[in-house]
Amino acid sequence: MQITFELQGEETLIAKMDLISQNLDLSSGLDKIGQFLKDYYATEPFLSSGSVYGSTWAPLKMSTERDKFRQGYSGTPMLIRTGAMATSFDYYVDGNRVTIFNGQPYFKYHQSTLPRNKIPRRQMMAINEAIKGKVHDFLQQELVKKLQ
C-alpha cells in the first residue's frame, strides 16, 4: 500500500517562506512583545508580590514597615513608594531582538541572583507560562502576516 499527499499551492508557499527567511523582519511583532512585557512587568509582579512567578516575595522587615509609615507610605504594596520602580520598565527593538530593562539604579539589587546580606531577592522580571504563551501568539501572528 502506498499513501501520497499533494499540497495545493505548495510551490507558492515554499517561495514565500524562502523570501521571508532571506529578509525576515519581525520588528512589528517584537514591538508588540516589548510593549506587552513592559506593561506586564510594571503591574503583575507588584500586584501579586511576586507570586506570578511561583512564590511570594519575602515580607518586609519591621524596620522597613516603620520607615514606610513614618514617611507616609504605609499601606502601599511592597516595592512601591513613589511608583518609580514600576514605571521605569522600558524596551527597545534592535533588528530581530527586543530588550526589556528597568532604568532604576536599585532595580538590580532586587532582581539579582547574587548572595544576599541585606535585602531578600524580589524578582520582577522572569519568564512564566503566561508570558511564553503571549510571546508565541505575537510571533505566530507576525509570521502569518508575512506568509499572506
Side-chain angles (χ1 to χ4, degrees), residues 73 79-85 87 106:
Y73 297 109
L79 299 185
I80 297 182
R81 286 189 188 206
T82 65
M85 180 86 80
T87 59
Y106 48 90

Side-chain angles (χ1 to χ4, degrees), residues 17 26 45 47-48 79 112 139 147:
M17 290 180 76
L26 298 175
L47 294 174
S48 70
L79 299 185
S112 170
L139 289 176
L147 288 172

Side-chain angles (χ1 to χ4, degrees), residues 85 102 104-113 116 124:
M85 180 86 80
N102 187 301
Q104 284 300 318
Y106 48 90
F107 168 78
K108 62 185 174 187
Y109 300 111
H110 294 285
Q111 184 71 18
S112 170
T113 58
R116 310 203 157 258
M124 290 163 267

Side-chain angles (χ1 to χ4, degrees), residues 47-65:
L47 294 174
S48 70
S49 296
S51 67
V52 70
Y53 303 126
S55 62
T56 305
W57 292 333
L60 296 175
K61 293 180 182 176
M62 187 55 74
S63 59
T64 304
E65 292 283 5

Side-chain angles (χ1 to χ4, degrees), residues 80-108:
I80 297 182
R81 286 189 188 206
T82 65
M85 180 86 80
T87 59
S88 293
F89 286 96
D90 210 348
Y91 72 97
Y92 62 89
V93 175
D94 182 22
N96 280 334
R97 174 184 298 185
V98 61
T99 302
I100 296 92
F101 61 94
N102 187 301
Q104 284 300 318
Y106 48 90
F107 168 78
K108 62 185 174 187

